[in-house]
């Protein structure tokens, strides 16, 4: 079984590099487009959000298509944890030994992505001061994260993984607007956005609450998946899209 076959060291490094690079570029897109939006539309917050959300939706789609065949394009610790947890019973999905390296690569990449965006726009890398942890925002993060998990795993389970890139990009773009939190839905991205005091920033005092409810949202999404698709674990290997293990097999 591919689950039991050791991953060659070179393949492991490629996967971690893909996760680091993908998460870094995702945060660069989020932060950079937020800074550009502030510069182009300084008096219109609604237009700033539109510009930021469109860039993020398109950028995420491209990154999944580009790096997904290598690592699965998780770029998100809650996706990694859900992939691991759902696959335990059927010995599918991400292996236990890969969970921590994936998450570390994602977090490091997110921080580097914020620094890169700040540097490109000649903005000093400083700690964000935007406080976001209100009750409504935290509920919005639960909804956004649960929905993201549902979208990703439902597509894999129903054999429509080819649609994952545009579907995930479209969902995140839409969730910018229908959730009060503007849909972070990603602990690594949340940590990265601490390091930019711009449109996309989040104060470090708000980040722990955001990360906590994102984990709750992931658990809610997994619970709903197990009700809606009881055999969802069988397709955990295809999250977000089929990647290195399956290509090698």
């Amino acid at each position: 079984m591919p689950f039991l076959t050791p991953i060659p060291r070179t393949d492991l490094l490629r996967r971690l590099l893909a996760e680091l690079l993908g998460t870094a570029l995702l945060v660069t897109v989020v932060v950079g487009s937020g800074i550009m939006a502030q510069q182009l539309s300084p008096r219109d917050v609604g237009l700033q959000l539109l510009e930021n959300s469109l860039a993020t939706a398109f950028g995420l789609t491209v990154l999944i298509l580009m790096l997904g065949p290598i690592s699965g394009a998780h770029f998100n610790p809650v996706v990694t944890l859900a992939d691991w947890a759902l696959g335990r019973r059927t010995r599918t999905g991400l292996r236990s030994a890969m969970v921590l390296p994936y998450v570390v690569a994602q977090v490091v990449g997110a921080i580097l992505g914020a620094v890169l965006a700040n540097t490109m726009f000649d903005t000093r890398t400083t700690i964000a001061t935007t406080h976001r942890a209100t009750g409504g925002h935290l509920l919005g993060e639960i909804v956004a994260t649960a929905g993201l998990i549902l979208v990703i795993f439902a597509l894999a389970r129903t054999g429509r993984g080819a649609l994952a890139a545009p579907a995930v990009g479209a969902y995140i773009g839409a969730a910018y607007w229908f959730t009060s939190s503007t849909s972070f839905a990603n602990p690594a991205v949340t940590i990265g956005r601490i390091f930019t005091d711009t449109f996309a920033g989040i104060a470090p005092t708000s980040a722990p609450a955001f990360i906590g409810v994102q984990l709750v949202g992931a658990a809610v999404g997994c619970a709903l998946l197990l009700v809606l698709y009881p055999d969802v674990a069988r397709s955990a290997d295809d999250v977000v899209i089929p990647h290195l293990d399956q290509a090698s097999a």
Side-chain angles (χ1 to χ4, degrees), residues 26-34 37 45-60 132 137 140-141 144 168-185 189 193 199-201:
L26 172 58
V27 174
T28 300
V29 169
V30 172
V31 174
S33 63
V45 178
L47 187 54
Q48 291 173 14
L49 185 62
L50 177 61
E51 293 159 348
N52 191 208
S53 63
L54 286 175
T56 300
F58 290 137
L60 179 56
R132 300 177 183 267
H137 287 162
E141 278 300 285
V168 172
Y171 174 80
I172 291 298
Y176 261 79
W177 292 91
F178 74 76
T179 64
S180 56
S181 63
T182 66
S183 182
F184 285 48
V189 169
R193 289 168 69 164
F199 182 78

Side-chain angles (χ1 to χ4, degrees), residues 78-193:
V78 297
V79 175
T80 295
L81 289 170
D83 189 21
W84 169 79
L86 288 171
R88 290 312 83 207
R89 287 181 299 172
T90 55
R91 301 183 71 81
T92 56
L94 196 69
R95 308 175 196 197
S96 299
M98 292 295 297
V99 174
L100 182 59
Y102 258 53
V103 171
V104 170
Q106 291 157 358
V107 171
V108 172
I111 295 170
L112 293 176
V115 172
L116 175 59
N118 292 333
T119 304
M120 285 195 299
F121 286 92
D122 295 320
T123 300
R124 282 197 316 129
T125 297
T126 54
I127 301 301
T129 57
T130 304
H131 297 279
R132 300 177 183 267
T134 68
H137 287 162
L138 298 180
L139 178 59
E141 278 300 285
I142 293 175
V143 171
T145 310
L148 177 64
I149 295 298
L150 280 170
V151 168
I152 291 171
F153 285 86
L155 286 172
R157 167 59 187 82
T158 55
R160 294 175 294 166
L163 298 175
V168 172
Y171 174 80
I172 291 298
Y176 261 79
W177 292 91
F178 74 76
T179 64
S180 56
S181 63
T182 66
S183 182
F184 285 48
N186 186 327
V189 169
T190 301
I191 293 171
R193 289 168 69 164

